[in-house]
Amino acid sequence: MTLSMLRSVVRRTSTSGASRLTRRQFASESAPERKVAILGAAGGIGQPLSLLMKLNPLVSSLSLYDIAGTPGVAADVSHINTRSQVAGFAGEDQLGQALEGSDVVIIPAGVPRKPGMTRDDLFNINAGIVKSLCTAIAKYCPNALVNMISNPVNSTVPIAAEVFKKAGTYDEKRLFGVTTLDVVRAKTFYAGKAKVNVSDVIVPVVGGHAGITILPLLSQATPKANLSDEEIVALTKRTQDGGTEVVEAKAGKGSATLSMAYAGAIFADACLKGLNGVPDVVECSFVQSNVTELPFFASKVRLGKNGVEEVLGLGPLSDYEKKGLEALLPELKSSIEKGIKFANSN
C-alpha cells in the first residue's frame, strides 16, 4: 500500500464522482484471490491495521482474529465498500478457522509497552502468545507468509522459527520480522532535517528492531543531503528511540499503534505484490540471514512468489555506521538466543 493509495482514499471521501473513483482504485478483476489473517485484530495496532488491509485491493478475504472483541471489529470494517470479504473470529476454538487458507498472516498480538517498559520487559508475555499462535499457523496454514509485529521482534522471530522447525514446516523465506516502522520513522525524520519531500526519501534501516540494534544507514539515504555529523547522530538516536518517544507522549496510555499499523500495512502490501509476481519489490525486514554472523538480521530483502527471493547486502557503510553495526551485534545476538532458548525450554 503506497502513500498515493492512501491519499486517493482520502480524496475519494471529499470529492464528487466517488463511485467512479472507487471503481478505478479498487478494480480487482485481474488480482488473484488472496486471504490475509490478522492475529490480534481487536487491539490497538490490530484495529487500524484491519482498516488499512480492508482498503488494500490485493486482499480478497480478510480474516480477523483475537481472543475477544473481533466480531465487532469485523462487522465495522466489513461495511467499507471495498473488494475483500471480512470474517471475525474470537477464542482459541476459532483460531484454526481464522487461519485456514491464508496467504499472509500478520501478528500484532500481545501487550503494548508502557512508560519505563523496554521491549525486553514484554518478552515473557508476548513470547508465550507468539509460540501458541505459531503452533496454530504450522497446523492450519504452513505455507503462509508470516509477518511478525509482536515485540520484541528480535526474539519473537527466532521463537517462531523454532516452533516451525519442530512442526516440520519451517521455510526461512516465509518468516519476516516487520521492521518497517523503523524505516518509516527514518524517512520522516530525515526528510524533516534535510528539507526534502518525504515521499521521495529512501533510507535503509538494518540490524534489529529495538534500541541500538536499529541502525539507519543515513549515508545511503536519498535524496542526498549535506548533514553534519551531529545531525546524523541525532537522527540515528531519534530513529532508535522513536517507540519511547510515542510511549512518553501518550503518558502511559498507549504505544505506537497507528504508525505501526501503517508500517504493517505497507509491509503486508509488499508481500502480496511479491506473491503476485510484481518485480523488484524491496523492503527492509528481519529475516534469516547470512549478511552477518548472526542467524537473523534486518536488511533489504527482495520479495517474490516464494517470499524472500534475495537477502541483499549492507552496501558501503560510513565509519559511524560501522561502529554502530559493531555495537549492535552483541545485543542482537543475546535477543536472538533468548528467543531460541524460550522456544526450546517451554
Side-chain angles (χ1 to χ4, degrees):
M1 185 183 299
T2 63
L3 283 169
S4 61
M5 175 183 165
L6 292 175
R7 292 191 186 104
S8 178
V9 171
V10 174
R11 284 198 303 271
R12 190 167 57 254
T13 64
S14 58
T15 60
S16 60
S19 61
R20 174 174 53 82
L21 284 171
T22 299
R23 287 194 299 271
R24 183 178 67 189
Q25 182 65 36
F26 294 104
S28 58
E29 289 80 359
S30 61
E33 298 288 308
R34 295 294 183 194
K35 177 178 176 178
V36 173
I38 300 176
L39 309 184
I45 296 170
Q47 290 197 44
L49 178 58
S50 298
L51 168 64
L52 292 172
M53 295 314 296
K54 182 69 171 84
L55 297 178
N56 192 314
L58 301 180
V59 180
S60 59
S61 175
L62 185 60
S63 179
L64 307 182
Y65 172 83
D66 214 317
I67 55 174
T70 339
V73 177
D76 195 356
V77 171
S78 71
H79 293 177
I80 296 170
N81 60 320
T82 58
R83 175 193 185 196
S84 55
Q85 298 298 307
V86 182
F89 303 90
E92 291 184 18
D93 58 329
Q94 295 187 4
L95 178 54
Q97 189 179 352
L99 288 170
E100 284 178 345
S102 295
D103 296 288
V104 176
V105 178
I106 313 171
I107 311 180
V111 299
R113 280 203 298 166
K114 296 177 182 179
M117 181 186 287
T118 67
R119 285 186 174 90
D120 196 53
D121 293 330
L122 304 179
F123 179 80
N124 286 327
I125 297 173
N126 288 355
I129 293 172
V130 165
K131 185 177 180 182
S132 64
L133 293 176
C134 288
T135 299
I137 291 169
K139 181 176 180 180
Y140 294 104
C141 55
N143 295 318
L145 302 190
V146 177
N147 293 3
M148 185 68 68
I149 292 174
S150 301
N151 275 316
V153 166
N154 293 353
S155 298
T156 55
V157 169
I159 289 171
E162 292 302 307
V163 170
F164 296 149
K165 286 176 185 177
K166 288 181 180 179
T169 66
Y170 181 55
D171 182 348
E172 69 272 16
K173 296 181 178 180
R174 296 178 179 273
L175 176 61
F176 302 89
V178 180
T179 60
T180 313
L181 181 53
D182 301 325
V183 177
V184 166
R185 286 172 173 153
K187 288 180 177 181
T188 301
F189 304 156
Y190 177 86
K193 185 64 67 174
K195 295 180 172 54
V196 295
N197 187 338
V198 69
S199 63
D200 297 331
V201 170
I202 297 174
V203 183
V205 182
V206 304
H209 185 56
I212 67 165
T213 70
I214 301 167
L215 183 62
L217 302 184
L218 297 169
S219 68
Q220 298 178 24
T222 57
K224 293 293 184 183
N226 188 24
L227 300 180
S228 67
D229 291 344
E230 292 76 15
E231 288 173 322
I232 289 171
V233 171
L235 283 173
T236 299
K237 183 165 178 53
R238 191 180 180 199
T239 302
Q240 292 171 339
D241 295 341
T244 301
E245 183 178 316
V246 175
V247 168
E248 292 177 350
K250 290 188 175 182
K253 296 181 180 179
S255 58
T257 54
L258 301 176
S259 53
M260 184 63 248
Y262 170 78
I266 290 289
F267 189 76
D269 179 70
C271 287
L272 290 166
K273 287 175 178 173
L275 287 174
N276 291 350
V278 176
D280 298 320
V281 179
V282 176
E283 293 286 343
C284 291
S285 183
F286 186 67
V287 298
Q288 182 170 312
S289 172
N290 293 318
V291 168
T292 69
E293 66 269 23
L294 300 182
F296 297 93
F297 194 81
S299 64
K300 289 191 290 185
V301 172
R302 192 181 311 280
L303 300 167
K305 293 183 178 181
N306 298 306
V308 175
E309 295 293 340
E310 183 181 9
V311 178
L312 303 176
L314 297 178
L317 304 181
S318 68
D319 289 341
Y320 175 72
E321 291 160 357
K322 289 176 182 177
K323 290 179 182 177
L325 178 62
E326 184 178 351
L328 74 83
L329 289 174
E331 183 161 329
L332 183 53
K333 182 175 186 286
S334 176
S335 297
I336 293 169
E337 290 176 345
K338 186 173 185 178
I340 294 171
K341 181 179 179 181
F342 178 88
N344 291 327
S345 63
N346 289 270

